[in-house]
Amino acid sequence: MKNQKVKINPFLTTDPYNKRGQIGEVTECDGEVATVLFEDGITGKYQTDTLELVSS
């Protein structure tokens, strides 16, 4: 999953990074938690089951 583009689930009930529905790139993946980097430089940690792979 590392270096993959992903979309954050737009229906999350809790998103402390406020990135619902946005696309970012996975920079790290540790089992069930992925670190996602967004275009604006914000990095957030998300459960992998809240991410949808985006084809390039």
Side-chain angles (χ1 to χ4, degrees):
M1 181 169 258
K2 189 174 177 181
N3 299 322
Q4 291 280 332
K5 289 206 182 278
V6 293
K7 180 178 179 181
I8 307 304
N9 184 327
F11 302 107
L12 288 179
T13 56
T14 303
D15 183 4
Y17 307 103
N18 201 27
K19 298 295 183 183
R20 287 181 207 107
Q22 295 189 33
I23 295 174
E25 184 175 327
V26 175
T27 58
E28 294 180 40
C29 190
D30 182 21
E32 295 180 13
V33 177
T35 302
V36 181
L37 175 63
F38 298 92
E39 279 189 12
D40 61 2
I42 299 293
T43 301
K45 293 189 181 283
Y46 289 89
Q47 296 290 322
T48 55
D49 63 354
T50 65
L51 307 175
E52 177 183 325
L53 292 178
V54 175
S55 56
S56 298

